[in-house]
């Protein structure tokens, strides 16, 4: 039995213009890498946060990788 993805539940991922640069600042109270600071800043964008939430839910509820072929 294959799980069918309901297309009406799939959200469009946000698209940013070519060359878009994320402005971010590292935390001052301890070590933080550039990547962690950038991801933290990206997740402040509601569209990205919602896209990642939907992707996580889809991955978490898909047990097809647990089944043997």
């Amino acid at each position: 039995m294959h799980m069918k993805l309901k297309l009406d539940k799939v959200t469009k991922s946000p698209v940013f213009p070519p060359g878009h640069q994320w402005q971010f600042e590292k935390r001052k109270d301890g070590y933080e890498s550039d990547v962690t600071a950038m991801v933290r800043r990206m997740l402040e964008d509601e569209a990205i946060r919602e896209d990642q939430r939907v992707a996580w839910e889809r991955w978490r509820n898909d047990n097809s990788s647990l089944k043997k072929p």
Side-chain angles (χ1 to χ4, degrees):
M1 179 177 178
H2 292 285
M3 183 177 146
K4 290 187 178 181
L5 186 61
K6 294 181 180 178
L7 295 178
D8 61 334
K9 301 222 178 208
V10 175
T11 59
K12 281 197 135 193
S13 295
V15 177
F16 299 95
H20 179 77
Q21 297 288 316
W22 288 96
Q23 301 300 315
F24 62 89
E25 278 190 40
K26 292 184 187 183
R27 292 183 173 154
K28 307 268 190 261
D29 59 348
Y31 175 77
E32 183 174 51
S33 71
D34 288 347
V35 172
T36 302
M38 184 180 72
V39 169
R40 184 173 45 78
R41 174 66 178 100
M42 290 172 73
L43 290 175
E44 292 173 1
D45 183 313
E46 183 63 35
I48 292 175
R49 188 170 45 241
E50 179 63 13
D51 182 61
Q52 291 303 297
R53 186 194 63 75
V54 169
W56 166 251
E57 288 295 322
R58 189 171 53 236
W59 176 82
R60 190 174 66 104
N61 291 313
D62 179 13
N63 63 359
S64 64
S65 62
L66 301 175
K67 296 178 184 177
K68 293 183 180 182

